[in-house]
Structure formats: structure tokens, C-alpha cells
Amino acid sequence: MRISVVGSGYVGLVAAACFAELGHDVVSIDNDAEKIGRLQQGEVPIHEQHLPELLARHRNKKLTFSTDLAGAVRQSTAIFIAVGTPATNEGDADLSYVESVSRAIALGINDYKIVVEKSTVPVFTSNWIRKVMLLDGAPADLFDVASNPEFLREGTAVVDFLYPDRIVTGADTARCADVLRQIYLPLTDGSYYRRGDRVAVPAPKNWPGAARIIATTTKSAEIIKHASNAFLATKISFINAVANICESVGADVKEVCEGIGSDSRIGNRFLSPGVGYGGSCFPKDLKAFRHVARENGYDFTLLSSVISINEEQRARFLRKVRTALWTLKGKKIAVLGLAFKGGTDDIRESPAIEIVKSLLKEGCEIRAYDPAANDRAREVLPSQGISCYESAYDAIKGADALVILTDWSEFAELDLDRVRATLTYPIVVDGRNLYDPAVMATYGFLYYSVGRPDVQPARRIEKSEKITAAVTGKVE
Ligand SMILES: NC(=O)c1ccc[n+]([C@@H]2O[C@H](COP(=O)([O-])OP(=O)(O)OC[C@H]3O[C@@H](n4cnc5c(N)ncnc54)[C@H](O)[C@@H]3O)[C@@H](O)[C@H]2O)c1
């Protein structure tokens, strides 16, 4: 199949590389000529596990890069739209990029093609795409519009794409549904996974051997994406609210999570209390879903609560830092993590960035480190009062306290003796609950986390007692 993917960002680039991996001939399109130039030169513009290998494997073979949208459309049977859909000031999705791409696609329709929404868009967008394409002269019988929402998570995007929980294809004609089915056939019939060594990424544990496809109407597919993100964000805000109750009464949210998460109807994933959700998807998608619900006569008040709990969570965390340090002005704070979550360099709507900005406003001196997001963060943070370092230990050296803001796995594996020795005061405020409070106490820290009792330094443990104890919670 010849495929164009319009938008070479986190979703478009991963989708294009993975479609090439499945054996399709793919053109990855962007209107950012500099980005396309870098991709053509072999650069990888985002931090995403397995993506560099995949791009190297298919570049100039199954995968090419171009700014020529009309030319790519003419050669393709399926055109995926993967451009941004940010929030407007009113909270609805800004679909102007989707509209301008749809108009441009209309000009290149010369035989039957499907135009597929990969971007996250509100229900009815497929109708609008069809309308504007017809207005721009695309013959009605030569195209269909489909919805194929993307569920990948940044940090594990390639694995998520190639080993999906499900593939949702929304189409309103049998012909269109069939093209989508063909595109994903190597995943759904399992033939891709039987390629042995030639598979880019090994299968995750318990992989069933074939991906599940859920074929729906376009409207259902559009709602599935918004509803999925809304549900996941609700789970996060729910457990954050529970964590806040735990803090008030002196209970331990980790124990509570274990207790409720073991119920198979609830499940233990996404029950991680912390500084709240962020990123380029949940905040805007919740607002857009609430907006489209309101436009269609339903006041989705649950989502308003989810959003306000999330906003309050950051403010609560700042209060926690203040409680730990008393006054903030002039304090040197080591900050671990700037990305909105571990495994990515994406800082869009990152709680870490917001918290750092607030700390800077309060007069703190920030010593920050993120394994991938330092450069992007420098672009949005004030230049005064903050230095970015190349390692966690450089950032921690001489700081008055350590604040953990992103759940990178390397932050859960720090050499705690070294941290203790280089911090001016043994204060750790952990916004991601990466450590066990009892163990942190034995290492001599004043340790503050989310939804669990604060701890004071306790008996000093011997160096031979493994550092990993802090992660597992067991002192061996
Ligand atoms: N990032 C995620 O984890 C994720 C997951 C699932 C769905 N989504 C959705 O996918 C969509 C894209 O998200 P993203 O994170 O990849 O965005 P992104 O900002 O990383 O990438 C968008 C790309 O589109 C390009 N673009 C904009 N207008 C264009 C035009 N007219 N022609 C060609 N290219 C154009 C931009 O230059 C940019 O490279 C959004 O709707 C998002 O909600 C994102």
C-alpha cells in the first residue's frame, strides 16, 4: 500500500516509520521544511525509544520525507492526517491545521483514496473534512474519510504502535473499511510477528500473537479516542484525590492502591499518585471532549472535576515543597525531571515545567537535570535563576533539597549515599513516589512524597545494604 502521513511529529513520524516496517511504501510529510531536511539527512528530531533504528532501517527505501503534500497525495491510496490539534482559548480543539491539510489533500485526489484522521479530533470532524474537501473540488465518489485514532504513549510509542492493545478503525463505507483492514493486516493476521529476527522490536511479555482490530463507524472511533483519554485522566485525578485524603488522615496511598488495584474490575495501572497529568494530550483532549459534549447538549461535569483536581495537585505539591523548606527565596533546589513523563523529551503541558516556573517566581535557584528534555526546557524557561546539568548528581551537588518531578527510571535508581553526601540538607520531595519512605528514612533523609506519611531520618543503614532496597522497599 502507498501511504502518506501528514505531520512528522511524535505521532506522524512513529506511524510513518511503523507503516514502513509493516512493508508499506510511505511518504512522511511536513510543512516544516527544516524538520524534513533534518529527517532526510538522517537526524531524529524527537527522543523516542527504537525510533532511530526504525528510521535508519527504512529511510530512502520504504520511507521517504517530503514537503510536497499534493505530490504525495497523488501517489497514495491512504493519507493519514497527524498534525497537531491544540486547544483554543475556549477549550475546544483548534482544527485549523486539519482543515488546511484537508483542503490541500482535496487538490491531489485523482483516484479513490481514503483520508484518515490520526490526529485526536472531536466527533463530527470526519464530516467537516468531507465537506471542505468537496468544497475544494474533490469528487465525492473518489474519497472516503475515516478515523483511526492513535493510542501510542510517548516513551513507548514504537512498541505501542507495533504491539497495540487494539486498533480502532472507524469507517462509514465497506470500501474504506477494507483499505484500513489491509493496512493493518500484518498486525491483525500476525504475519508481521512471525518474521522472527526481522521484527524491529521484540514482543512484550504475554503478547497474544496478533493485534485486535475494532471496526466502528467514524463517529464511534472519534468518541473512543476522547473517551479513552478522559477515562485515563479520570483515573489519575481519582487516585490523586484519594492520595490527598490519605495525607489528611495519615494513611498510605501505596497500600490503598494495592488494595483497590487488585480488584480485577479496577486494575492497578494508572493508579500512580503524583503531581498530576500533563503532556500534549490529556489536558487538551479533556477540555475538547467537555466542549463537544456541551455543544451537543450534555454538561460533562465529571470532566470539570477531573481537570480542577489536576490543577490543584500541582499547587498542593508546591505547598509540600514549601513545608519541607520553610522559606523558598534564595534556596538552591535540585530538580530531577522536566519532561511531562519519563522516556520522552516532550515538555508540552509538563507539570514539571509549571512547578519549576513557580519555584523560580518564589526566588529559588534551580539546578535541573532531565535525561532528554534539558534543551527543550531551556527554550521555555526563563534564563535567569536556572542551570541545567548533564547528570543527576551534578544537579544535586550543593543543593538545599532535591525535588523529583518526572518518573524517569534512572531517578528511581540513584546512589542514595551519594545523594545524601552531596545535598547540603538531606531533604527530598518526591512528586512521583519513586522511593519507599521507610528506606529513605534509613538513608538519613527527610522525605516527603504524595499520599504517604512524611518521614524523618532514622537509623543509618550500612553501605552494604543495597541501594536497590530503596526502590523495592525491602532492606536486605
Ligand atoms: N503525542 C502523543 O502522545 C499523541 C498520542 C495520540 C494522539 N496524539 C494526537 O496526534 C496529533 C499529533 O500530535 P503530535 O504530538 O504528533 O504533534 P506534533 O506537534 O509533534 O506534530 C505535528 C506535526 O504536524 C506538522 N504540521 C502542522 N501543520 C501542517 C501542515 N499544514 N502540513 C504538514 N504538516 C503540518 C507540524 O510541523 C508538526 O511536525 C494530535 O492531534 C495529538 O492529540 C498525540
Side-chain angles (χ1 to χ4, degrees), residues 315-329:
R316 277 183 75 96
F317 186 77
L318 268 174
R319 290 202 289 276
K320 203 179 279 286
V321 177
R322 215 174 280 123
T323 305
L325 287 171
W326 188 21
T327 63
L328 290 176
K329 197 168 163 196

Side-chain angles (χ1 to χ4, degrees), residues 74-374:
R74 276 192 288 277
Q75 292 168 21
S76 302
T77 304
I79 302 108
F80 285 78
I81 302 178
V83 298
T85 49
T88 68
N89 289 339
E90 285 70 48
D92 55 336
D94 174 355
L95 297 173
S96 57
Y97 304 103
V98 173
E99 179 178 350
S100 83
V101 168
S102 307
R103 290 187 186 282
I105 292 171
L107 306 178
I109 301 280
N110 52 352
D111 54 13
Y112 179 75
K113 297 175 192 306
I114 67 166
V115 179
V116 191
E117 304 162 350
K118 195 66 154 153
S119 301
T120 302
V121 290
V123 63
F124 288 126
T125 302
S126 65
N127 294 14
W128 279 107
I129 292 176
R130 185 164 181 85
K131 269 186 203 158
V132 297
M133 286 184 63
L134 290 172
L135 281 173
D136 274 287
D141 55 338
L142 284 193
F143 76 98
D144 279 309
V145 182
S147 166
N148 170 222
E150 185 47 61
F151 300 100
L152 63 76
R153 296 159 299 172
E154 289 177 23
T156 52
V158 171
V159 176
D160 292 343
F161 196 99
L162 294 173
Y163 298 91
D165 288 341
R166 79 304 207 186
I167 297 161
V168 173
T169 56
D172 298 327
T173 69
R175 190 178 186 189
C176 177
D178 194 53
V179 177
L180 280 170
R181 201 180 53 77
Q182 294 290 340
I183 291 171
Y184 286 106
L185 197 59
L187 300 182
T188 55
D189 72 2
S191 54
Y192 172 69
Y193 308 114
R194 292 193 292 274
R195 287 186 199 166
D197 288 353
R198 287 179 299 125
V199 165
V201 189
K205 253 207 299 198
N206 303 328
W207 174 248
R212 178 172 178 216
I213 194 159
I214 301 176
T216 68
T217 63
T218 48
K219 277 189 212 152
S220 297
E222 288 164 341
I223 296 236
I224 286 169
K225 176 62 191 176
H226 264 165
S228 299
N229 276 3
F231 191 83
L232 291 170
T234 302
K235 219 169 166 186
I236 295 173
S237 277
F238 177 82
I239 203 60
N240 279 334
V242 171
N244 296 339
I245 301 167
C246 288
E247 280 181 13
S248 308
V249 301
D252 183 334
V253 75
K254 187 168 177 243
E255 294 173 355
V256 174
C257 284
E258 200 181 338
I260 58 178
S262 336
D263 184 326
S264 58
R265 293 169 301 176
I266 297 172
N268 53 18
R269 295 179 67 189
F270 260 65
L271 287 183
S272 305
V275 290
Y277 62 77
S280 67
C281 293
F282 287 179
K284 78 167 172 62
D285 291 347
L286 255 75
K287 287 184 185 147
F289 197 26
R290 181 177 61 173
H291 191 274
V292 77
R294 201 175 284 151
E295 296 268 290
N296 287 281
Y298 181 67
D299 188 5
F300 210 151
T301 51
L302 173 66
L303 298 187
S304 300
S305 299
V306 170
I307 293 165
S308 61
I309 290 170
N310 196 57
E311 283 161 4
E312 171 61 17
Q313 201 63 13
R314 292 178 198 183
R316 277 183 75 96
F317 186 77
L318 268 174
R319 290 202 289 276
K320 203 179 279 286
V321 177
R322 215 174 280 123
T323 305
L325 287 171
W326 188 21
T327 63
L328 290 176
K329 197 168 163 196
K331 294 269 165 70
K332 283 188 196 144
I333 299 188
V335 165
L336 293 189
L338 297 165
F340 84 94
K341 66 173 187 168
T344 179
D345 57 352
D346 197 345
I347 53 158
R348 290 177 287 183
E349 299 274 334
S350 169
I353 295 287
E354 288 311 307
I355 290 165
V356 165
K357 280 184 180 165
S358 303
L359 291 172
L360 285 169
K361 261 196 207 137
E362 302 237 17
C364 296
E365 192 185 310
I366 302 294
R367 304 171 58 86
Y369 165 67
D370 187 286
N374 277 356

Side-chain angles (χ1 to χ4, degrees), residues 360-429:
L360 285 169
K361 261 196 207 137
E362 302 237 17
C364 296
E365 192 185 310
I366 302 294
R367 304 171 58 86
Y369 165 67
D370 187 286
N374 277 356
D375 290 345
R376 283 186 199 267
R378 275 195 200 100
E379 289 167 15
V380 300
L381 287 170
S383 51
Q384 299 292 313
I386 175 162
S387 314
C388 292
Y389 291 86
E390 293 310 309
S391 87
Y393 301 106
D394 288 342
I396 290 166
K397 202 168 171 187
D400 295 312
L402 165 61
V403 172
I404 301 175
L405 295 178
T406 307
D407 54 352
W408 281 95
S409 52
E410 73 169 78
F411 299 162
E413 292 159 10
L414 295 170
D415 176 340
L416 294 174
D417 277 319
R418 195 168 161 194
V419 173
R420 172 76 184 81
T422 47
L423 272 175
T424 304
Y425 302 106
I427 300 171
V428 176
V429 192

